[in-house]
Amino acid sequence: MNIAKTTDYKDIVTVFQDKRKLFPHIRLDYIDSMIRACKCVFQDGIVIMFTRYKRRNRIGSVVAPKGTYTIKQIVNSSIGNGNAQKILTLFLTQVEDDVYLSVRADNTRAIQFYLKNNFVKVGTIAWKNGTIPGHVYCYPKSCLLYRNTTID
């Protein structure tokens, strides 16, 4: 798995600019800070921005324990080429703990992708003063109980 370097900045910005409709909120300084903090994967046209929690953290209705990861964004420069699944799988095998993410409820393509990759719905979230509903998913590495469980 390739952690992004500062020399990848322009290419990563281009990936997000090409997907502006899906990621209208991504700022250039955020991309730069994630790269500099080594919290950005960039490989085969896939960008994964992530964090690892140093303490418990709330994600909507879910409390993510200390040490778990959150995928902030995942984007493929060429949707449908299979690279997203390949790089996400690589990411998931290299992290030590559960991985959380949140997604808009109307983003059915992303939801199907997460379910196909063994993420489990564990809660809800909302943005923009509750007007944009979403779901919280978890890829449970340490607790196999979640694998066949969903929470509405």
Side-chain angles (χ1 to χ4, degrees):
M1 177 174 69
N2 296 333
I3 297 296
K5 300 174 183 67
T6 55
T7 55
D8 297 321
Y9 173 77
K10 286 183 182 180
D11 293 330
I12 293 170
V13 167
T14 299
V15 171
F16 278 106
Q17 286 175 337
D18 290 347
K19 305 292 186 250
R20 196 75 175 152
K21 186 176 178 183
L22 295 172
F23 298 97
H25 60 285
I26 302 298
R27 296 185 340 251
L28 299 179
D29 61 328
Y30 169 75
I31 295 171
D32 183 59
S33 69
M34 293 298 278
I35 292 170
R36 291 181 187 280
C38 298
K39 295 178 180 179
C40 179
V41 172
F42 185 53
Q43 185 171 338
D44 298 337
I46 307 302
V47 179
I48 300 176
M49 304 270 200
F50 66 95
T51 59
R52 185 169 193 199
Y53 292 127
K54 294 180 181 177
R55 58 182 171 84
R56 290 179 348 139
N57 195 37
R58 180 165 292 281
I59 308 168
S61 65
V62 176
V63 175
K66 176 183 176 179
T68 58
Y69 294 80
T70 296
I71 293 177
K72 299 293 190 174
Q73 290 84 27
I74 179 170
V75 60
N76 187 344
S77 61
S78 300
I79 292 175
N81 65 5
N83 286 348
Q85 184 169 12
K86 180 177 83 173
I87 302 306
L88 177 62
T89 299
L90 187 59
F91 175 82
L92 294 171
T93 60
Q94 292 189 10
V95 297
E96 304 88 28
D97 213 327
D98 296 347
V99 178
Y100 292 84
L101 58 83
S102 58
V103 61
R104 290 171 61 140
D106 63 357
N107 192 344
T108 55
R109 183 180 183 111
I111 291 168
Q112 289 305 312
F113 175 75
Y114 300 135
L115 292 173
K116 180 180 173 182
N117 285 281
N118 297 315
F119 280 78
V120 176
K121 182 180 172 191
V122 293
T124 58
I125 193 169
W127 299 275
K128 202 172 179 186
N129 296 321
T131 62
I132 302 174
H135 306 297
V136 179
Y137 286 85
C138 179
Y139 180 85
K141 291 192 75 157
S142 63
C143 181
L144 298 178
L145 170 68
Y146 287 135
R147 288 222 187 267
N148 297 313
T149 305
T150 58
I151 300 172
D152 292 321

